[in-house]
């Protein structure tokens, strides 16, 4: 049986018509849906987000009620927020709720030539009377940024301490301020991570010497850290 | 003579496939044109609605977090954590509020090997200077002394009536003994400060629990003293 050109063309254009019709219907369907059901779409997205968040947060609360150790709850809901006095660079950051905090110096008494140190440890802050490793130590030092960084130059040059630029968001206008993140042998026999930032004529350092909590330092504290340079 | 039933004849005189192809072609072109015209409008509307939905979802998430944070904080406020001193100082253990911080100042490893001190406070432990004992919620102090020597230290203020002494019965299901409590102007350095201290004898040492913050008394008596124990 012979099939004529007209029949073939009818088949091709017929198929094209069907495809074009399907495409047009799909586009119109979407257009009509987004135009007419706008409020439902927005409300549904809000409800889904609310439900998803409630399920996630609810699980944390239930775990806490059930007696799961709070140190194992690692969501923003379980973070505590640290806010230093304004005169100390307005430092703010999150840290695990189960950590203890010890403000070594009286913020109202500290003068320009003194240090301001805050210690953080899991459970109880260990004594600061003798040198020992802590989960986190935040310090404002009256020495210059260059002088503090220079103290680590030997280890950086010898390759046992890595130094990379690190940007921190300031409070004002979300401007990023650059500092240096050190990772490795901070001192003889002490491995840790330390962020050094310049704040006015002083230097701000944030340091973690304990391997067990270094992930918290990187994942919780550093991403939430802000200050006023 | 042409066979009127041949295929060619049927196509020529039968169904007009050519016309049908033309109609399909015109309709297809029309629909494609309509789609091209409608697609950007659909995309514009879709983008607007999706942006609005994303913003609404973010706002809903923030509101839900605030609700859940409140519920979580309420649960946290009811939970406690455990403090345990070193074995050299009696392995004293007790529960204290999860929202408190604790700091071991003297741990028997420095110059003073016979004393042990721990500061507790809501949120952050404040500086352990001359004012530290007054500003923090609870101070635990273990020293090598005896209750008679401590009593002598309060003698003068007790005579003046600025310090009251009574016995404190510790009976929490784990410990069953009696300590001594001094209340009032118990500070030898600052006569304006009032508080209370409870002393217990632990082997050759004395444990003192100092508190100058009235707002924390409930937590100290109900949680700390309600769970405290040590190895005698």
């Amino acid at each position: 049986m012979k099939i004529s050109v007209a029949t073939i063309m009818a088949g091709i254009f017929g198929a094209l018509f069907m495809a074009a019709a399907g495409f047009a219907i799909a586009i119109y369907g979407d257009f009509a849906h987004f135009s007419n059901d706008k409020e439902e779409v927005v409300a549904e997205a809000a409800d889904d987000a609310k439900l998803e968040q409630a399920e996630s947060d609810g699980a944390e609360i239930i775990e806490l009620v059930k007696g799961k150790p709070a140190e194992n709850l690692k969501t923003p809901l379980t973070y505590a927020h640290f806010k230093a006095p304004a005169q100390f660079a307005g430092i703010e950051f999150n840290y695990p709720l189960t950590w203890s905090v010890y403000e070594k110096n009286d913020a109202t008494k500290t003068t320009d030539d003194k240090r301001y140190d805050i210690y953080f440890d899991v459970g109880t802050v260990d004594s600061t009377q003798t040198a020992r490793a802590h989960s986190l130590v935040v310090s404002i030092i009256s020495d210059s940024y260059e002088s503090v960084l220079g103290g680590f130059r030997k280890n950086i040059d010898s390759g046992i301490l890595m130094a990379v630029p690190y940007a921190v968001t300031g409070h004002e206008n979300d401007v990023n301020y650059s500092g240096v993140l050190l990772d490795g042998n901070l001192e003889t026999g002490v491995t840790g991570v330390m962020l050094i930032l310049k704040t006015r004529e002083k230097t701000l350092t944030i340091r973690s010497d304990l391997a067990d909590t270094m992930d918290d330092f990187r994942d919780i504290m550093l991403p939430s850290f802000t200050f006023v340079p | 003579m042409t066979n009127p039933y041949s295929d060619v004849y049927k196509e020529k005189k039968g169904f007009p496939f050519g016309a049908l192809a033309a109609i399909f072609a015109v309709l297809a072109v029309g629909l494609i044109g309509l789609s091209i015209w409608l697609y950007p409008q659909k995309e514009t509307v879709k983008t607007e609605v999706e942006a609005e939905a994303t913003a609404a979802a973010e706002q809903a998430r923030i509101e839900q977090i605030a609700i859940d944070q409140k519920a979580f904080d309420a649960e946290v406020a009811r939970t406690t954590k455990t403090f345990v001193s070193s074995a050299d100082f009696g392995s004293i253990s007790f529960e204290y509020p999860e929202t408190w911080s604790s700091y071991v100042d003297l741990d028997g490893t420095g110059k003073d090997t016979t004393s042990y001190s721990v500061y507790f406070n809501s949120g952050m432990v404040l500086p352990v200077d001359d004012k530290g004992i007054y500003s923090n919620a609870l101070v635990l102090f273990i020293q090598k002394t005896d209750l008679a020597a401590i009593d002598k230290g309060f003698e003068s203020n007790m005579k003046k009536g600025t310090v009251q002494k009574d016995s404190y019965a510790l009976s929490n299901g784990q410990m069953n003994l009696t300590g001594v409590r001094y209340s009032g102007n118990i500070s030898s350095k600052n006569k304006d400060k009032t508080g209370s201290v409870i002393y217990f004898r632990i082997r050759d040492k004395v444990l003192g629990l100092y508190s100058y913050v009235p707002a924390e008394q409930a937590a100290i008596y109900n949680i700390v003293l309600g769970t405290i124990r040590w190895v005698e």
Side-chain angles (χ1 to χ4, degrees), chain B residues 205-228:
Chain B
K205 298 184 178 70
V206 169
L207 159 67
L209 295 167
Y210 296 79
S211 173
Y212 284 85
V213 183
E216 306 293 7
Q217 296 302 303
I220 292 168
Y221 279 92
N222 297 334
I223 302 173
V224 174
L225 288 166
T227 55
I228 195 167

Side-chain angles (χ1 to χ4, degrees), chain B residues 2-3 36 59 70 85 108 120 131 166 206 221 223 226:
Chain B
T2 309
N3 179 357
I36 290 170
Q59 184 59 33
K70 209 171 172 182
S85 75
F120 299 85
K131 291 181 181 173
D166 65 349
V206 169
Y221 279 92
I223 302 173

Side-chain angles (χ1 to χ4, degrees), chain B residues 40-101:
Chain B
Q41 297 187 56
K42 186 267 291 187
E43 281 299 300
T44 304
V45 174
K46 185 183 173 191
T47 305
E48 284 173 6
V49 173
E50 284 180 345
E52 210 168 308
T54 304
E58 189 51 35
Q59 184 59 33
R61 204 180 292 278
I62 290 168
E63 287 171 7
Q64 189 61 42
I65 287 172
I67 293 167
D68 293 340
Q69 187 72 65
K70 209 171 172 182
F72 186 83
D73 291 346
E75 285 302 329
V76 167
R78 295 195 313 190
T79 59
T80 58
K81 49 191 171 187
T82 309
F83 170 79
V84 183
S85 75
S86 69
D88 292 343
F89 291 92
S91 297
I92 300 164
S93 71
F94 54 79
E95 296 293 306
Y96 64 105
E98 181 77 64
T99 51
W100 284 18
S101 281

Side-chain angles (χ1 to χ4, degrees), chain A residues 4 10 14 17 24 34 38 50 53 57 65 77-78 100-103 105-106 124-129 132, chain B residues 11 21 24 27 35 45-46 49 52 57 60-61 64 68-69 72 75 98 101-105 107 125 127:
Chain A
S4 70
F17 165 71
F34 285 114
K38 184 180 162 183
K50 206 170 179 177
Q53 191 65 47
D57 293 345
V65 174
L77 206 64
T78 67
S100 274
V101 191
Y102 168 51
E103 183 186 37
N105 320 93
D106 186 344
T124 298
V125 177
D126 288 331
S127 179
T128 59
Q129 303 239 3
R132 60 184 74 188
Chain B
E11 192 169 81
F24 279 150
L27 287 174
S35 299
V45 174
K46 185 183 173 191
V49 173
E52 210 168 308
R61 204 180 292 278
Q64 189 61 42
D68 293 340
Q69 187 72 65
F72 186 83
E75 285 302 329
E98 181 77 64
S101 281
S102 54
Y103 166 63
V104 176
D105 189 40
D107 60 1
V125 172

